[in-house]
Amino acid sequence: MANESANETARNIGPVILLGPPGAGKGTQSKQIVDRYGVPQISTGDLLRDHVGRGTELGLEAKAIMARGELVPDELMYGIVATRLREADCQRGFVLDGFPRTAAQAGWLDAFLEKEVFDNRSDKREKCPPVVIQLLVDYTQLLLRLTGRRSCPTCGRLYNIHSQPPLVDELCDVDGSKLVIRDDDRESVISGRLAAYETQTRRVADYYRAQRRLVAIHADRPMAEVTAQIFGVIGRRFQGGCQ
């Protein structure tokens, strides 16, 4: 098992893109991939919240947009994503969570990877186009996941009052901090988030489907089942030349 684990964390898995509406489990499944393959999770939501927390110019602008349940415009995203993907820990691959959200962003990402990643490799056999996995979840299940989601402001641990509640109501199991509701998980903005997904993000799935790169997985099944299917999709790419 140790040798198998070492082999997994030495492989070049390339980019992995998880698509799906808010509450589909992209963050949870991203962490499973990170643990297995030793590549970083790049969550644009986390990056934006970091900027908001630090009060940067981007953060102040993004805060107002996210509070309305709207998507951050492309021009605000490209610079922060490009800077993160150029870091050394992304060389073997990475998991993108929350990006691309539009067809235009998908096109930008393809161009970025071709120019700054694939063209700079001496071994062209290492070129691994993104694995694109779409997580499908029933609308009613999404509402339960989003309205029930809570997080610890101290350690970051996530809970759901419907499916994964804390041992003590509204308190973190780890440090006892009072759990909080993210601004964009409040009922007043959830409908806007889901509407934005329907009108914009589904076009990203169409973009990758046209390139025959899209794999759809029903994510309303038990988490371990969904994770196993995702690992199977990533594992199949090694048979196609990625090492």
Side-chain angles (χ1 to χ4, degrees):
M1 291 294 293
N3 288 338
E4 181 181 348
S5 177
N7 184 47
E8 297 287 8
T9 56
R11 280 177 161 173
N12 168 34
I13 73 167
V16 178
I17 298 171
L18 296 183
L19 300 179
K26 297 185 298 295
T28 297
Q29 294 301 334
S30 292
K31 288 178 173 57
Q32 298 299 313
I33 299 171
V34 167
D35 289 344
R36 182 179 179 96
Y37 296 103
V39 296
Q41 173 192 3
I42 312 299
S43 168
T44 51
D46 288 345
L47 291 175
L48 287 170
R49 280 187 285 275
D50 175 63
H51 278 262
V52 169
R54 291 188 287 116
T56 66
E57 182 178 351
L58 171 63
L60 292 175
E61 187 170 355
K63 182 177 181 180
I65 294 171
M66 290 189 294
R68 296 194 300 267
E70 299 175 5
L71 299 177
V72 175
D74 292 354
E75 58 268 21
L76 294 181
M77 294 304 309
Y78 295 153
I80 191 172
V81 172
T83 298
R84 181 65 184 91
L85 296 186
R86 291 184 183 114
E87 295 184 16
D89 63 341
C90 293
Q91 289 183 356
R92 287 193 306 103
F94 47 85
V95 183
L96 278 172
D97 169 11
F99 188 93
R101 288 180 183 263
T102 67
Q105 289 180 357
W108 174 87
L109 180 63
D110 276 348
F112 174 84
L113 293 173
E114 190 68 38
K115 179 180 180 181
E116 299 206 28
V117 179
F118 302 144
D119 285 353
N120 290 331
R121 283 185 173 154
S122 59
D123 185 352
K124 296 304 179 182
R125 292 176 301 174
E126 292 185 354
K127 178 175 179 177
C128 295
V131 170
V132 186
I133 300 171
Q134 183 182 27
L135 302 179
L136 305 176
V137 182
D138 175 77
Y139 184 83
T140 301
Q141 184 64 235
L142 287 176
L143 290 179
L144 286 174
R145 290 185 181 186
L146 290 170
T147 58
R149 187 157 59 182
R150 302 289 187 273
S151 63
C152 175
T154 304
C155 69
R157 184 168 181 173
L158 296 176
Y159 301 86
N160 189 290
I161 61 174
H162 304 298
S163 60
Q164 192 179 8
L167 296 175
V168 178
D169 189 36
E170 299 296 335
L171 297 180
C172 179
D173 296 347
V174 177
D175 52 43
S177 298
K178 183 172 177 57
L179 302 179
V180 298
I181 304 174
R182 275 184 4 194
D183 286 342
D184 51 356
D185 280 343
R186 297 184 185 279
E187 291 189 38
S188 58
V189 299
I190 284 175
S191 60
R193 294 177 66 198
L194 293 178
Y197 172 78
E198 289 293 333
T199 58
Q200 289 187 296
T201 313
R202 281 190 181 276
R203 297 173 188 171
V204 179
D206 293 338
Y207 174 91
Y208 288 118
R209 186 179 293 110
Q211 298 179 5
R212 298 183 178 180
R213 284 195 267 165
L214 185 73
V215 179
I217 292 177
H218 289 280
D220 49 4
R221 298 171 180 170
M223 188 193 80
E225 266 187 49
V226 178
T227 301
Q229 290 186 60
I230 290 174
F231 287 167
V233 172
I234 295 173
R236 286 196 293 274
R237 82 175 308 158
F238 300 133
Q239 302 170 7
C242 292
Q243 301 295 330

